[in-house]
Amino acid sequence: MELDEKKIAGVFKAFCDENRVRILKLLTTGEKCACKLLEEINITQPTMSHHMKILCDSGIVVGRKEGKWMHYSISPEGSAAAMKYLKALTSISCLDTAQSCCER
């Protein structure tokens, strides 16, 4: 798997705000209309749009338009990619255990 630093940073940026975490928690029970998310989070519409853009750009959340409303849900593919990135970035690989990076 290729580790594109810019893409990975965008994915993890989605998790770095309390309001976005609240939104994600609400979406774990299924698709929600933006109006319902606004009621639950108690933020302004422009702030909600900002957070939803970050979540959608990361691939973690997908949106679909129905009439004048946007409906959001967690993307299984985006979620799986985030988990793969985290695992790849935090797994220790021992390519050459015979030699230390620092000679003692």
Side-chain angles (χ1 to χ4, degrees):
M1 171 179 36
E2 182 182 333
L3 295 177
D4 179 331
E5 292 88 358
K6 187 171 185 170
K7 185 174 185 176
I8 293 170
V11 168
F12 290 108
K13 178 180 180 178
F15 298 106
C16 293
D17 180 88
E18 291 176 29
N19 286 320
R20 290 192 290 273
V21 171
R22 286 185 190 110
I23 292 165
L24 288 169
K25 285 173 65 177
L26 289 168
L27 294 177
T28 61
T29 59
E31 183 181 74
K32 300 280 185 299
C33 178
C35 61
K36 183 67 174 170
L37 293 171
L38 272 170
E39 289 173 13
E40 296 289 330
I41 304 293
N42 196 27
I43 57 177
T44 66
Q45 190 280 323
T47 301
M48 175 63 76
S49 292
H50 169 75
H51 289 309
M52 297 317 296
K53 178 170 177 20
I54 291 170
L55 287 166
C56 289
D57 286 352
S58 74
I60 300 296
V61 171
V62 292
R64 67 175 184 84
K65 193 167 180 84
E66 186 176 298
K68 65 177 185 173
W69 297 107
M70 284 298 291
H71 296 261
Y72 296 99
S73 59
I74 293 176
S75 164
E77 297 83 8
S79 179
M83 288 187 270
K84 286 180 187 175
Y85 294 150
L86 182 61
K87 185 173 182 174
L89 290 170
T90 58
S91 296
I92 299 170
S93 63
C94 298
L95 297 177
D96 186 5
T97 57
Q99 184 176 351
S100 171
C101 64
C102 302
E103 296 299 320
R104 296 178 189 214

